[in-house]
Amino acid sequence: MSLEPRIGVFVCHCGLNIAGVIDVKELTEYAHTLPNVLVAIDNRYTCADPGQEEIKKAIEEHKLNRVIVAACSPRMHEPTFRRCIAEAGLNPYLFEMANIREFSSWCHPSTPKEATEKAKEIVKMAVAKARLLQSLETMEVPVTNKALILGGGIAGISAALDLADMGFKVYLVEKTESIGGHMAQLDKTFPTLDCSICIEGPKMVDVSRHPNIEIISYADLLSVEGFVGNFKVKIRKNPRYVIDENCTGCGECRDVCPIEFPNKWDMNMGVRKAISVPFDQAVPLVYTINMDYCIECYKCVDACGARQAINFDQKPGEVELEVGTILVATGFDIYTPYDDSRYGYGRYDNVITALEFERLILAAGPTGGKVVRASDGKKPKTVAFIQCVGSRDVNKYEYCSGFCCMYALKNSILLREKYHEDVETYILYMDMRTHFKGYEEFYRRAREQGINFIRGRVSQINENPKTKNLLIRAEDTMLGEPIELEAELVVLCTAAIPSKGTDEMSRILNVTRGTDGFFMESHPKLKPLDTPADGIFLAGACQGPKDIPYSVSQGSGAAARAATILSQPTWKIEPIIAVVDSNKCRNTKAKCGICVKACPYGAPMAPEEKPAEINPAMCHGCGTCVAECPSGAITQMHFTDAQIFAQIRAALEKNPGDKILGFLCNWCSYAGADLAGTSRFEYPPTLRAIRVMCSGRVDRDFILEALRLGAGMVLVAACHLPYDCHYISGNVKMKARMEALTKMFEKLGLSPERFRVEYVSAAEGVKFADLIREMTEQMETLGKEKIKAENEKLRPTLERMLSKKK
Amino acid sequence: MKLLKNETENELTIEMILHAKRYSLTLDKTRCTGCGICMEICPREAIEIKKTPKVDGEKAKPPTIDISEEKCHYCGMCAPICPFGALEVRINGEYIIPVINSESFPQLIREIEVDTTKCDLDCVDCEQACPLSLIKVSVRTPNGKEVTHIASRPDKENLKVVVDIEENFCPCCRLCEVKCPEGTIHVEKIFHGSLRINREKCPEGCTDCLDVCPISGALYLSDDGKVYVNELYCVYCGVCKIVCPEEGALELHRTYIRHTPIHSGAWNKALEKLTSTKVMTKELQTKSLTKTQESLKKRFLWRRKF
Ligand SMILES: Cc1cc2nc3c(=O)[nH]c(=O)nc-3n(C[C@H](O)[C@H](O)[C@H](O)COP(=O)(O)OP(=O)(O)OC[C@H]3O[C@@H](n4cnc5c(N)ncnc54)[C@H](O)[C@@H]3O)c2cc1C
Ligand code: SF4
Ligand code: SF4
Ligand code: SF4
Ligand code: SF4
């Protein structure tokens, strides 16, 4: 749009909220004097219908092509006015808001003159930016209405059934030979003690029979490309050496096969044949030959006969899928404490994990449901469950694994019901955690059944080499004294940890993981099923340990979240994104790719010797790459360098030495400043604020320019480290950038208080007000003269640095 | 799951202990000659041959074998193939060879016939001839009582000679047959083949093969100070070839293995490794004189070679 800007400024009284402090008439008249401003009108309530009508009328009458509303926070009404000007036929992005309420009238009520002056400059800054605004088009991408689910545990199964019932095609990709996940390994489930496979088995069969679900088992995710609505996925199907369609699951081959190997499904406590299924209820019921063990006698081929299901020549197959959304439900693994000598796991025959115990007590397990010791095959008379092995341990896994207390209760009750008084059961715990429906009642049931609870952490387990019994040493924290307990079998309730391959999965999907290693949700409270990558959702224990009811709910929840995309023919993408100027990008000449590293979403690609390119559908518009790009080749739409420089210059045109120039990130600090305003925390009117979407956008040059123009103080305010950033890690990148700058300023003799990086959350209105107060005081203490002198000294260097870039 | 290995002077045992099952494989080191036949057919490459370093001025010692408890999966193929019967597989303590039960692997046929009616009451030539001391000759009364002082017995014509042979450990070298003055014993060899020594390649004074050969007389030192083969006795175990320091000095080819009838890919592979592709194909062809070949072609779609 090369047209000369024709700007209309609409100043709002907001009743007395603004007009009570600020001289609106004076402000309106001032606005009219600014370059390119054709009309300036004040109104009692601009956001109300008459106010909006007035704007529309003015656009038509004066052929306005830019609109500024000087009123409240853009976080409040920007969408309203964008809609308004769009209705009048203007591109909604040709709008700018001047926040004179939260940033002036509300926070400077006792200095109306200064408040009016500040409001004028806020409007001036808005006009400066508005003159450079460009129309932007919202992108729409088509949506493939198919879903990919990774992981066929109970979470993935629930999600698959829900999505398939809604009518969407679902590909369920499972790494192992069968879907079912951990739930298929369990004996009974708390708190109702129903048989696990009896309730999961029918669901697994439903999955296999559903016309909308395609199970791709024994498969690995290779790559994912594309973006929300349009993912291209590559999957490798590992060879089973048995042809799916021909295998009837009769098991005749297994019966003739001579070769056995430890069955992982049975926690290596029992064996399976070289051609077999991991467990009888496996879905799909297709046999697999383990070539690591097969001796190629071909007896199975004979047994299979005319069905001809066995093919020793099968090769890995690659499947390419196109899907609109991806659900990650890859679950968890359990920690095996080989590395912790306290427990003797792996050394002592009669120390097992809880998952091993599940396979022991299960009637279909390797011992036919007999709980026996590995050392002598005898039933133990005392069984001790040790809680929090690895969990809630600052040296191992800091978090609570959530379901161990409940399954320890479950397994003690099961032991009790099976062997009655024959087996004495102990639970050594730190705290019993039995929240959720019916769980506390279950705990009471265990206590009533005479299970012994000892509160304390185990310090050492030793084996009696003759009896193979175990001597447990612990501190009884109730009695405050050390205790010793002899048990014939010890069951370790070990931590749930991220499933193997989670790191690779996180790399392929570009979904971050928390410090605990589990996948991280977009927001812990409000977006627990979303990931920062649009169109990718999480369900079940892959996001953190969860029991079955919770995993099932999440499966259904994630299915619903995915359906919000899958049910649309197209998906809208915000146009405030970053764009690379291929002529300026230096990657064509030298290997750069700095943007690729900077972006938290994997949106840029910098193929060798080619200019970088940013995938608009993946870009979230934080602008971090823009600030990092060494050749200034990237532009963030609606927050361009030119626009921000114009704001800086407008803000510092008059008396720069008396001002604090602040860059505030939209989601935390700007919101915190808004809160200071709405809470009427008064602070000095020294701040001139520039809103950026993310602190990661704050270019080094912005700071240099501000100081070159003689700003008294410069502030960059961001979301708290390390996790609060709305764009995952924009604040981390900003921090590194600003630390380097601080060092340089130190050398150049800038008073350290003049350049500050602060972290203010949306809830910290007080902190924000205090911060401006403190900075203003520091500015006054330094004094105009000193600031001026420092600036004079600095200017040549700053000018040199800034000109280099141009 | 526990994987154990235990070695004593006379035995090497490896074990896999699961909660519900235990497997073991025992090598009787007194019987093992280090020939490495088991190593060649082991599908998991669990067996390793360890050459015994030669000490100057001493005779060469046969190699020993080591079995990896990590790699072995107790298929049991090594046990029936060992001509000296040195290996034993047990599952839950019982002597079970799964591959034999499923007919995935054959057993060696040791054809030894003894007609003791011709035996002299005081002859123990075969007992003395056996290089592995597997034969025990005794004289018994009609009701089976062993008699020691034959000369003083009045009922000589009623006494019978009994020849006990521990067949499981016998490599069928035929020494007993040849040494028997009466032609009482008849032995068929298990392995057939050829062994040649290219004496021009033998280093001066080397008798390493002779030193390690378990069958006395299969190799002998001639007046020219060189080692010669007597193929009448050689069992084609191949330990000589393992210790031979000169590439190509010893040439061993197995051409046939006597075994119980079998139809198994695992055996074809083993046979190919122990003999040659040609021998393996020949065996398959002999089998397929019947219509099996046709059915094989149909079923073994992935192996059109047949
Ligand atoms: C000993 C023990 C007892 C328990 N008892 C109970 C109980 O009584 N009641 C209860 O409510 N909860 C119980 N739980 C918890 C229960 O196991 C979990 O809540 C449940 O399994 C979580 O389901 P999920 O689908 O999220 O994960 P999982 O069950 O772990 O399933 C994940 C699936 O994803 C697959 N997968 C993993 N990685 C990949 C990949 N890269 N690509 C493709 N597929 C992949 C896995 O193979 C697996 O099939 C118990 C847990 C333990 C350890
Ligand atoms: S060919 Fe392999 S899988 Fe088939 S029966 Fe033989 S050992 Fe078992
Ligand atoms: S860093 Fe931010 S602005 Fe740049 S491409 Fe990534 S999401 Fe977009
Ligand atoms: S039992 Fe089988 S795997 Fe083990 S050493 Fe013998 S041949 Fe090899
Ligand atoms: S000569 Fe024959 S019997 Fe002796 S070691 Fe060699 S192959 Fe074995």
Side-chain angles (χ1 to χ4, degrees):
Chain A
M1 159 152 337
S2 56
L3 286 179
E4 179 72 4
R6 299 171 69 86
I7 304 176
V9 179
F10 301 84
V11 184
C12 182
H13 292 236
C14 197
L16 284 178
N17 281 309
I18 292 171
V21 178
I22 290 168
D23 185 338
V24 173
K25 285 277 167 269
E26 189 185 329
L27 178 60
T28 314
E29 275 162 27
Y30 168 77
H32 208 160
T33 66
L34 292 168
N36 298 100
V37 175
L38 279 103
V39 264
I41 304 173
D42 64 303
N43 194 298
R44 271 180 62 74
Y45 290 103
T46 316
C47 61
D49 280 351
Q52 293 198 34
E53 280 314 310
E54 196 161 351
I55 297 176
K56 288 182 193 164
K57 219 172 84 203
I59 292 175
E60 189 155 332
E61 249 167 49
H62 301 274
K63 304 253 166 325
L64 299 181
N65 56 16
R66 303 283 193 283
V67 171
I68 290 169
V69 173
C72 53
S73 169
R75 293 174 50 85
M76 180 91 190
H77 273 316
E78 190 175 54
T80 316
F81 293 116
R82 274 193 185 158
R83 218 177 305 122
C84 165
I85 69 162
E87 279 163 16
L90 273 188
N91 182 287
Y93 292 92
L94 297 174
F95 174 79
E96 183 66 17
M97 197 121 195
N99 182 357
I100 57 169
R101 191 181 71 177
E102 279 83 344
F103 275 63
S104 187
S105 67
W106 274 353
C107 49
H108 314 306
S110 48
T111 50
K113 242 181 114 59
E114 283 85 350
T116 306
E117 282 312 307
K118 180 174 177 185
K120 282 184 190 167
E121 292 199 1
I122 293 174
V123 171
K124 183 177 162 192
M125 287 163 72
V127 171
K129 178 168 180 183
R131 294 171 65 200
L132 300 170
L133 286 177
Q134 291 163 332
S135 318
L136 300 176
E137 297 307 326
T138 303
M139 243 178 56
E140 281 196 34
V141 291
V143 171
T144 311
N145 65 349
K146 297 176 189 164
L148 169 72
I149 299 181
L150 296 167
I154 191 61
I157 289 175
S158 307
L161 287 172
D162 281 7
L163 280 172
D165 283 344
M166 289 183 224
F168 302 114
K169 169 92 191 174
V170 176
Y171 300 101
L172 180 57
V173 172
E174 167 58 47
K175 184 173 65 176
T176 64
E177 291 156 66
S178 170
I179 59 170
H182 283 97
M183 187 173 170
Q185 281 181 294
L186 307 179
D187 178 26
K188 307 267 169 23
T189 54
F190 60 73
T192 44
L193 294 189
D194 25 15
C195 143
S196 196
I197 194 71
C198 313
I199 54 177
E200 197 192 22
K203 289 213 155 230
M204 290 159 62
V205 175
D206 286 351
V207 168
S208 72
R209 297 228 177 102
H210 205 296
N212 284 343
I213 303 180
E214 185 178 330
I215 303 177
I216 305 175
S217 55
Y218 210 40
D220 294 309
L221 178 70
L222 291 180
S223 69
V224 173
E225 276 172 21
F227 46 86
V228 54
N230 300 274
F231 292 109
K232 282 197 177 55
V233 181
K234 269 202 197 119
I235 286 156
R236 182 184 51 232
K237 276 183 81 172
N238 297 311
R240 288 174 183 267
Y241 306 101
V242 174
I243 303 161
D244 302 22
E245 304 89 66
N246 296 8
C247 178
T248 62
C250 65
E252 284 169 35
C253 53
R254 175 196 48 205
D255 297 342
V256 299
C257 175
I259 302 302
E260 290 175 337
F261 69 97
N263 189 355
K264 257 209 199 135
W265 194 265
D266 273 335
M267 307 308 295
N268 291 340
M269 298 172 108
V271 287
R272 57 184 285 196
K273 291 286 186 73
I275 184 164
S276 56
V277 281
F279 57 107
D280 292 342
Q281 298 87 346
V283 169
L285 194 61
V286 177
Y287 278 64
T288 305
I289 298 180
N290 186 334
M291 277 302 172
D292 285 349
Y293 294 92
C294 170
I295 58 166
E296 293 185 38
C297 66
Y298 307 137
K299 290 292 152 188
C300 49
V301 181
D302 291 347
C304 190
R307 280 160 288 201
Q308 301 201 358
I310 298 173
N311 175 6
F312 275 81
D313 243 4
Q314 215 172 55
K315 295 272 169 329
E318 236 180 70
V319 191
E320 278 195 40
L321 304 174
E322 289 189 7
V323 295
T325 57
I326 299 175
L327 272 67
V328 186
T330 49
F332 68 103
D333 278 342
I334 62 153
Y335 160 56
T336 39
Y338 287 110
D339 57 347
D340 194 333
S341 61
R342 273 180 297 176
Y343 301 110
Y345 182 77
R347 242 179 323 137
Y348 305 147
D349 286 347
N350 300 324
V351 177
I352 62 174
T353 65
L355 211 45
E356 287 169 352
F357 185 85
E358 295 275 348
R359 298 310 292 168
L360 265 190
I361 198 164
L362 177 80
T367 56
K370 283 200 214 77
V371 177
V372 290
R373 313 203 305 165
S375 65
D376 51 14
K378 292 212 184 89
K379 187 181 74 190
K381 291 204 189 60
T382 41
V383 179
F385 290 88
I386 317 271
Q387 301 306 109
C388 300
V389 174
S391 312
R392 305 179 66 198
D393 180 345
V394 284
N395 299 317
K396 207 74 221 177
Y397 306 103
E398 273 189 53
Y399 53 86
C400 165
S401 295
F403 42 61
C404 326
C405 285
M406 281 302 290
Y407 72 58
L409 291 174
K410 167 187 77 173
N411 287 328
S412 339
I413 291 177
L414 290 177
L415 265 178
R416 208 63 183 172
E417 291 183 348
K418 194 161 192 155
Y419 299 115
H420 309 287
E421 313 291 288
D422 270 10
V423 177
E424 193 72 36
T425 308
Y426 295 86
I427 297 184
L428 283 90
Y429 69 101
M430 299 222 291
D431 302 286
M432 281 316 272
R433 297 193 159 171
T434 58
H435 52 315
F436 289 135
K437 196 165 167 172
Y439 289 11
E440 183 64 20
E441 294 85 330
F442 193 70
Y443 182 18
R444 178 151 25 83
R445 181 167 159 193
R447 279 178 304 195
E448 282 165 7
Q449 292 205 0
I451 287 149
N452 305 291
F453 290 88
I454 299 173
R455 190 169 197 274
R457 188 143 218 174
V458 171
S459 53
Q460 187 67 39
I461 297 178
N462 287 316
E463 184 188 61
N464 179 331
K466 269 216 210 83
T467 60
K468 303 279 176 186
N469 289 350
L470 301 144
L471 193 68
I472 306 166
R473 286 212 182 83
E475 163 105 24
D476 187 324
T477 46
M478 295 279 228
L479 304 172
E481 53 193 43
I483 52 155
E484 281 190 357
L485 173 72
E486 186 170 322
E488 296 190 352
L489 180 69
V490 166
V491 182
L492 304 177
C493 301
T494 59
I497 56 174
S499 60
K500 204 171 149 246
T502 300
D503 42 352
E504 201 193 342
M505 186 76 68
S506 121
R507 190 178 46 72
I508 296 177
L509 295 171
N510 224 314
V511 170
T512 34
R513 300 191 295 149
T515 37
D516 54 10
F518 290 101
F519 288 118
M520 207 158 82
E521 64 286 354
S522 201
H523 189 282
K525 278 145 247 152
L526 301 179
K527 286 185 175 176
L529 305 171
D530 294 29
T531 68
D534 286 343
I536 302 184
F537 302 96
L538 302 173
C542 66
Q543 181 260 359
K546 272 172 209 71
D547 59 14
I548 295 163
Y550 196 173
S551 301
V552 171
S553 319
Q554 282 215 325
S556 293
R561 292 290 300 132
T564 58
I565 296 170
L566 297 176
S567 58
Q568 307 291 325
T570 57
W571 192 250
K572 284 200 177 69
I573 288 169
E574 267 282 316
I576 302 183
I577 50 164
V579 179
V580 183
D581 180 344
S582 52
N583 294 325
K584 285 195 197 156
C585 178
R586 66 152 77 160
N587 200 54
T588 43
K589 289 173 233 118
K591 206 167 166 245
C592 171
I594 287 177
C595 50
V596 180
K597 280 194 217 98
C599 179
Y601 302 98
M605 293 231 292
E608 235 169 272
E609 288 174 34
K610 292 218 180 79
E613 222 179 302
I614 293 173
N615 185 331
M618 287 164 84
C619 172
H620 284 225
C622 64
T624 304
C625 58
V626 185
E628 293 281 322
C629 175
S631 0
I634 313 179
T635 306
Q636 185 189 9
M637 293 311 175
H638 214 62
F639 291 88
T640 64
D641 278 1
Q643 290 165 356
I644 294 173
F645 275 120
Q647 283 174 293
I648 298 171
R649 285 174 200 137
L652 299 173
E653 200 175 4
K654 273 202 314 199
N655 306 329
D658 298 341
K659 287 174 194 160
I660 303 170
L661 188 75
F663 296 91
L664 311 184
C665 81
N666 181 59
W667 304 95
C668 294
S669 305
Y670 195 90
D674 271 353
L675 183 65
T678 34
S679 320
R680 315 294 204 278
F681 294 137
E682 186 152 9
Y683 56 84
T686 43
L687 172 75
R688 299 295 175 268
I690 293 175
R691 181 171 73 117
V692 285
M693 293 313 285
C694 174
S695 65
R697 171 70 184 96
V698 182
D699 203 309
R700 198 185 63 148
D701 292 355
F702 298 165
I703 318 286
L704 301 182
E705 176 72 357
L707 290 170
R708 185 185 73 89
L709 294 175
M713 312 285 263
V714 178
L715 166 70
V716 178
C719 303
H720 280 282
L721 292 166
Y723 295 130
D724 279 8
C725 178
H726 186 82
Y727 303 97
I728 305 173
S729 58
N731 55 353
V732 178
K733 295 274 166 10
M734 177 277 292
K735 180 169 179 263
R737 195 183 307 143
M738 297 309 162
E739 273 169 1
L741 202 53
T742 308
K743 268 204 200 107
M744 189 193 86
F745 287 150
E746 210 174 285
K747 283 205 196 103
L748 292 175
L750 187 83
S751 302
E753 56 271 45
R754 290 189 57 206
F755 173 54
R756 265 178 92 154
V757 176
E758 280 294 336
Y759 302 90
V760 180
S761 81
E764 293 174 328
V766 189
K767 180 174 178 187
F768 188 79
D770 285 347
L771 174 67
I772 302 303
R773 221 173 283 132
E774 187 190 307
M775 286 184 75
T776 309
E777 273 163 29
Q778 286 171 340
M779 182 162 65
E780 279 161 8
T781 317
L782 282 169
K784 270 192 192 157
E785 291 314 310
K786 176 137 203 254
I787 289 176
K788 210 168 167 191
E790 272 186 16
N791 286 351
E792 288 306 322
K793 209 176 118 202
L794 230 64
R795 186 167 299 127
T797 320
L798 296 178
E799 267 168 3
R800 205 176 53 243
M801 286 177 75
L802 283 162
S803 70
K804 229 195 260 166
K805 188 82 175 281
K806 294 287 126 67
Chain B
M1 183 173 62
K2 256 196 182 160
L3 302 173
L4 302 177
K5 180 175 197 161
N6 193 7
E7 185 157 13
T8 62
E9 198 190 333
N10 293 330
E11 257 182 21
L12 170 69
T13 306
I14 59 164
E15 278 181 282
M16 173 165 83
I17 304 170
L18 307 177
H19 224 95
K21 222 164 182 180
R22 48 172 64 212
Y23 300 78
S24 73
L25 173 64
T26 309
L27 170 77
D28 182 341
K29 295 207 290 193
T30 61
R31 297 196 191 277
C32 174
T33 63
C35 69
I37 288 181
C38 55
M39 174 209 63
E40 293 207 45
I41 59 100
C42 173
R44 301 272 292 177
E45 297 179 0
I47 303 177
E48 200 190 333
I49 290 280
K50 288 193 167 151
K51 288 195 193 173
T52 315
K54 213 180 154 200
V55 183
D56 270 347
E58 277 184 31
K59 283 187 165 184
K61 291 214 176 65
T64 56
I65 72 168
D66 188 23
I67 312 175
S68 158
E69 73 279 19
E70 308 262 334
K71 290 187 185 158
C72 172
H73 70 319
Y74 302 90
C75 67
M77 276 165 40
C78 51
I81 200 70
C82 176
F84 303 97
L87 287 150
E88 194 176 281
V89 176
R90 284 172 194 272
I91 299 177
N92 286 342
E94 280 179 65
Y95 181 65
I96 294 173
I97 302 178
V99 284
I100 298 245
N101 295 349
S102 69
E103 294 182 4
S104 301
F105 209 71
Q107 281 172 286
L108 299 178
I109 296 179
R110 294 178 163 89
E111 206 175 303
I112 306 168
E113 283 164 16
V114 190
D115 174 13
T116 49
T117 51
K118 296 186 203 156
C119 290
D120 254 4
L121 284 184
D122 53 0
C123 174
V124 285
D125 286 4
C126 58
E127 188 174 315
Q128 281 168 355
C130 180
L132 302 169
S133 314
L134 300 173
I135 305 182
K136 174 92 184 66
V137 180
S138 56
V139 179
R140 291 169 189 268
T141 60
N143 44 28
K145 253 187 84 182
E146 193 173 341
V147 180
T148 36
H149 298 287
I150 303 154
S152 57
R153 297 293 292 217
D155 53 347
K156 281 200 188 93
E157 55 283 7
N158 286 335
L159 294 179
K160 264 201 329 207
V161 174
V162 176
V163 177
D164 279 318
I165 305 178
E166 292 181 83
E167 286 193 16
N168 287 345
F169 309 116
C170 169
C172 299
C173 64
R174 298 184 67 199
L175 263 158
C176 51
E177 174 182 332
V178 178
K179 293 286 158 74
C180 174
E182 305 293 343
T184 294
I185 308 184
H186 173 71
V187 179
E188 276 293 334
K189 283 217 181 154
I190 304 170
F191 293 94
H192 295 200
S194 71
L195 181 72
R196 263 230 316 274
I197 299 180
N198 300 319
R199 270 173 293 275
E200 70 284 359
K201 291 197 180 163
C202 290
E204 191 57 40
C206 171
T207 59
D208 289 0
C209 53
L210 175 61
D211 295 345
V212 300
C213 176
I215 310 297
S216 41
L219 299 173
Y220 60 92
L221 196 62
S222 179
D223 296 342
D224 59 3
K226 301 240 160 166
V227 181
Y228 285 74
V229 190
N230 182 350
E231 292 215 44
L232 189 56
Y233 303 140
C234 175
V235 299
Y236 305 109
C237 70
V239 62
C240 48
K241 193 164 173 202
I242 294 173
V243 297
C244 178
E246 268 310 310
E247 176 91 26
L250 249 159
E251 272 180 55
L252 169 73
H253 297 287
R254 298 191 191 97
T255 51
Y256 178 68
I257 301 175
R258 282 173 74 82
H259 62 84
T260 51
I262 196 82
H263 159 72
S264 155
W267 169 247
N268 295 343
K269 239 201 240 168
L271 183 63
E272 187 172 3
K273 280 185 196 154
L274 291 176
T275 59
S276 62
T277 314
K278 218 171 93 196
V279 172
M280 191 269 289
T281 328
K282 210 168 105 200
E283 182 169 311
L284 275 176
Q285 274 162 357
T286 337
K287 271 188 215 159
S288 59
L289 283 181
T290 60
K291 55 187 173 193
T292 36
Q293 195 183 21
E294 275 315 297
S295 69
L296 280 181
K297 256 192 204 146
K298 262 193 229 136
R299 272 182 215 157
F300 290 69
L301 289 169
W302 64 93
R303 280 210 160 180
R304 304 227 182 263
K305 270 187 253 157
F306 285 139

